[in-house]
Amino acid sequence: MKQKMRRLLAGALSAVLLGTAMPLEAVSAAESAAAVDTFRQIIRNAWENCTENVRLSNVRMTSDEVIEAYYDMLYTDAKWFYVDSSFNYTTSISGRVSSLILKYNYDKSEVPSMTEAFDAEVERLKNAVQPEWSDAEKVLFVHDHLAEVCEYDLTFDKSDAYAALLGGTAVCQGYALAMCVVLREMGIPCYAITSDELKHMWNVVQVDGKWYQIDATFDDSAPDMLGHTTHMFMLRSDDYMYADDMHHADDWNYFANGEQIVCDSADYDSAFWSGAVDTCTPMPDGTWVYSVAADPQNVVFVSDIKCDLMRGNADGAEKLGSVSAAWPTQNGNFFTVCYTTTQVYGDKLYYFDDKTIYAKPLSGGSAEKIYTLSKAEQAEGYLYGIVIDENGLLKYQVMPLPAFKSENTYDSEAVFHTMQLPEPQAETETTTTTTTTTTTTTTTTTTTTTTTTTTTTTTTPKPVTTTTTTTTPKPVTTTTTTTTTPKPVTTTTTTTTPKPVTTTTTTTTPKPETTTAETTATITETLPESSETTQTTAVLQITKRGDLNCDGMTDVSDAVMLARLLTEDKLLKLSDQGYVNAHCNDNDTIEPEDLTWILMLIARLITE
């Protein structure tokens, strides 16, 4: 900083001695274009050799022109994964940039081997494409692959394409740049979009001559769950994205070599993958296998929490089965989302509920239990994801909860186990062998808070527990630059705002909130062990309004308990019947008005 200040002071002194600052000389459009071409060649050579100090004495470009050209190169030719997005520059007295000081993400000695591995991975993905796939299906394949192999980097340190494809973790910039380089190798035009307001980067792709937006980062789960991805932001229009809170901004910037981008098509809003909640598995016959969860907003009974196991493509889809299962919350109720995902190995479809993994023949037939969590594993949590590699090694993930534990701290614990599946052709009995156990804990404290919204569901005669809906808060960060004023995503510091991606998290009430005037939450007595098992429930009704301690009276002690409930006192011990009785007004939520009702009853201002 002192050196920079000395340069600024020296420049100011020179201007005073000359009587006036020297104006920039006018440059024609042709000269400007030639200067940019020369600049690109110089920078490309510097990047290839990991050169740090670059002289631009003979390239007459302003700082704005240099910044524009530099980031357009970096973000439209994303194979330069090892190039840092920040750099320093110096200017001459004429205002032209005279030199750059470049930075690199990795040690120079590592770059050749990393480049070889990166190119090999891109080529492998390119060769995995089936000849009959449409461009839209190629985009789907890359989108889902990134969601499966990459976890959002909660350290906010990794932001390049290599980190996303091979490193296993990256921020939004890594996802977007990896999408760019892989799709371009497949012949599909793809560029990056940034927003300084949102501190985020995502993509636009061209399919059949039309442009669409796509955001693999916000479609990936966080905390990361094996095999999970949504398709909310897969081939969408500008209008669709602008209407979404996570993308609503007026400073979208396209790094598209000056090409005008307009995404005005909704052709894929109802594509077969639009409701998929896991990675779509391509099959040899041109179909894809995936699961579609019931909309949490439509969940009224516990039996409504389910997933359909699907096989489809652009020509249509068929249901292979249905899974009815519920995952417990920390309060003993249930999430309104079914977390089942699918994997295919050989001729079988694999899926799971909260404790058990199943296999079902793709050709039809009954499902069989493959493995049920041991007591020790059940103490770690519940099943939240599985993946199976080409050798039949099944990796399964156990977590206490599918969401971050607090508003200000990203604290995610996951335990991973593996088991070897038999050869697909084997007729022998299925055996399971746990081979590894690893625990991953990531904690990062931020200076901001996550938006939390309570979601309620209005019920009919027999409502069930309204539980917390699935959330995937996704922090959005960028890398830090030094002297430059680069494009959005690269100029901001790493103070971030975590943002939910799909639905909202209900963490404000320790008990379910779904009621009608006289009926309340359903207590689930049994859970299904397979897709064929049905759900049985028992319904509690209000025995006496305001009687939280269930002593047959509504008095001051009940008012105190309700006040503790409203403030989310974790030490409060409240029975399910007491929670039901806490609904004093004819509405769907427990709120301060219920406490007012009790106090007015005690004061005899109203009668029951």
Side-chain angles (χ1 to χ4, degrees):
M1 177 60 74
K2 291 182 178 179
Q3 291 179 346
K4 178 181 176 183
M5 290 300 297
R6 282 198 292 268
R7 287 198 300 268
L8 293 175
L9 290 172
L13 179 60
S14 298
V16 171
L17 293 175
L18 291 172
T20 181
M22 297 180 63
L24 292 176
E25 299 176 9
V27 178
S28 68
E31 290 175 317
S32 178
V36 170
D37 289 341
T38 301
F39 174 81
R40 286 176 175 269
Q41 183 178 351
I42 293 173
I43 296 301
R44 187 174 291 107
N45 290 336
W47 287 349
E48 287 176 349
N49 296 288
C50 294
T51 303
E52 295 182 0
N53 297 291
V54 180
R55 295 188 60 81
L56 298 174
S57 303
N58 297 325
V59 181
R60 307 198 317 168
M61 295 175 64
T62 65
S63 58
D64 288 344
E65 291 171 337
V66 165
I67 292 168
E68 179 75 25
Y70 187 92
Y71 288 104
D72 208 45
M73 284 181 65
L74 188 61
Y75 293 158
T76 57
D77 191 2
K79 68 180 182 180
W80 308 107
F81 63 84
Y82 54 86
V83 178
D84 195 291
S85 56
S86 64
F87 65 91
N88 294 342
Y89 64 89
T90 59
T91 57
S92 64
I93 194 172
S94 66
R96 306 292 181 186
V97 175
S98 58
S99 65
L100 302 180
I101 301 176
L102 307 184
K103 300 179 181 181
Y104 297 91
N105 296 321
Y106 302 97
D107 188 88
K108 183 177 181 179
S109 62
E110 300 176 328
V111 170
S113 61
M114 294 179 71
T115 299
E116 183 179 355
F118 182 77
D119 292 343
E121 176 64 8
V122 173
E123 187 66 19
R124 187 188 70 81
L125 294 174
K126 182 180 177 181
N127 293 335
V129 170
Q130 297 181 17
E132 67 274 13
W133 285 358
S134 64
D135 281 354
E137 289 175 308
K138 294 175 185 177
V139 175
L140 171 67
F141 172 71
V142 178
H143 170 280
D144 285 15
H145 178 76
L146 278 171
E148 186 162 306
V149 303
C150 188
E151 176 181 357
Y152 193 86
D153 179 22
L154 296 175
T155 68
F156 317 128
D157 184 48
K158 301 297 183 181
S159 59
D160 58 87
Y162 182 96
L165 280 180
L166 294 171
T169 180
V171 296
C172 57
Q173 183 171 310
Y175 281 82
L177 296 182
M179 184 77 71
C180 281
V181 70
V182 176
L183 288 181
R184 287 196 199 114
E185 284 297 313
M186 294 180 180
I188 299 174
C190 181
Y191 298 116
I193 307 177
T194 65
S195 166
D196 189 46
E197 178 182 341
L198 301 174
K199 303 178 181 66
H200 186 43
M201 177 184 282
W202 63 106
N203 297 98
V204 286
V205 298
Q206 189 179 60
V207 175
D208 296 330
K210 299 178 181 178
W211 288 100
Y212 300 88
Q213 292 198 35
I214 181 171
D215 192 336
T217 306
F218 278 161
D219 275 343
D220 198 5
S221 60
D224 193 67
M225 291 184 282
L226 296 178
H228 283 265
T229 183
T230 63
H231 297 77
M232 292 180 61
F233 307 117
M234 167 72 184
L235 298 184
R236 298 294 190 175
S237 67
D238 289 339
D239 289 343
Y240 178 95
M241 300 295 275
Y242 192 76
D244 175 69
D245 289 342
M246 300 300 99
H247 299 88
H248 185 87
D250 295 317
D251 67 339
W252 291 351
N253 183 61
Y254 299 85
F255 290 92
N257 281 326
E259 185 169 357
Q260 183 67 31
I261 305 293
V262 177
C263 305
D264 56 5
S265 174
D267 289 351
Y268 294 101
D269 281 5
S270 300
F272 70 87
W273 62 71
S274 60
V277 293
D278 65 346
T279 53
C280 299
T281 303
M283 304 299 293
D285 65 354
T287 60
W288 301 72
V289 172
Y290 52 95
S291 62
V292 177
D295 187 345
Q297 299 298 323
N298 296 330
V299 169
V300 178
F301 301 93
V302 174
S303 58
D304 294 332
I305 306 171
K306 61 183 179 180
C307 262
D308 289 332
L309 312 177
M310 305 296 296
R311 184 173 187 169
N313 58 17
D315 296 327
E318 63 172 327
K319 186 163 72 171
L320 301 176
S322 183
V323 180
S324 181
W327 276 252
T329 70
Q330 59 187 346
N331 299 317
N333 300 309
F334 297 97
F335 291 98
T336 56
V337 169
C338 181
Y339 290 98
T340 295
T341 61
T342 60
Q343 290 281 290
V344 175
Y345 182 61
D347 60 352
K348 290 184 179 180
L349 172 67
Y350 290 80
Y351 59 94
F352 59 93
D353 60 22
D354 64 317
K355 297 184 184 70
T356 303
I357 300 171
Y358 302 91
K360 181 183 179 73
L362 285 166
S363 57
S366 301
E368 60 175 326
K369 288 184 181 180
I370 298 300
Y371 182 71
T372 298
L373 295 181
S374 66
K375 289 185 179 180
E377 290 171 333
Q378 290 184 37
E380 297 166 350
Y382 306 93
L383 281 170
Y384 276 106
I386 62 172
V387 292
I388 305 173
D389 69 13
E390 64 274 11
N391 299 314
L393 185 67
L394 187 152
K395 184 178 182 181
Y396 57 98
Q397 179 179 18
V398 181
M399 294 195 304
L401 292 171
F404 294 114
K405 293 182 178 179
S406 63
E407 293 182 1
N408 298 325
T409 301
Y410 299 110
D411 188 358
S412 174
E413 292 184 2
V415 182
F416 300 90
H417 305 271
T418 60
M419 54 183 283
Q420 182 62 51
L421 298 176
E423 291 293 329
Q425 297 80 12
E427 299 294 334
T428 58
E429 182 181 354
T430 302
T431 59
T432 62
T433 304
T434 302
T435 57
T436 62
T437 302
T438 57
T439 303
T440 302
T441 302
T442 304
T443 303
T444 303
T445 302
T446 66
T447 58
T448 57
T449 58
T450 305
T451 303
T452 303
T453 307
T454 301
T455 304
T456 60
T457 307
T458 303
T459 65
T460 51
K462 291 185 178 182
V464 294
T465 55
T466 297
T467 61
T468 53
T469 57
T470 305
T471 45
T472 50
K474 189 86 61 173
V476 180
T477 69
T478 58
T479 55
T480 306
T481 61
T482 52
T483 308
T484 58
T485 313
K487 295 294 180 180
V489 171
T490 58
T491 55
T492 347
T493 61
T494 55
T495 298
T496 62
T497 305
K499 295 192 175 183
V501 179
T502 53
T503 59
T504 54
T505 308
T506 309
T507 55
T508 56
T509 10
K511 290 287 182 176
E513 295 186 350
T514 301
T515 63
T516 56
E518 294 295 335
T519 57
T520 54
T522 300
I523 308 303
T524 297
E525 296 179 338
T526 60
L527 284 175
E529 291 189 346
S530 72
S531 58
E532 283 73 31
T533 306
T534 58
Q535 198 87 327
T536 61
T537 59
V539 178
L540 295 178
Q541 294 184 340
I542 295 174
T543 57
K544 185 176 181 62
R545 289 179 187 269
D547 184 15
L548 276 73
N549 58 14
C550 299
D551 62 356
M553 299 181 294
T554 301
D555 51 26
V556 173
S557 62
D558 298 300
V560 172
M561 293 183 74
L562 183 51
R564 292 175 64 189
L565 175 61
L566 291 169
T567 57
E568 301 181 51
D569 185 346
K570 294 183 179 180
L571 299 179
L572 174 66
K573 296 185 181 300
L574 186 66
S575 68
D576 293 311
Q577 184 62 64
Y579 179 78
V580 168
N581 291 344
H583 292 75
C584 302
N585 292 312
D586 295 336
N587 53 30
D588 298 327
T589 61
I590 296 177
E591 54 194 1
E593 283 73 13
D594 293 302
L595 179 57
T596 302
W597 187 91
I598 293 178
L599 295 174
M600 292 178 68
L601 180 67
I602 295 171
R604 298 187 179 182
L605 297 176
I606 59 172
T607 58
E608 293 186 68

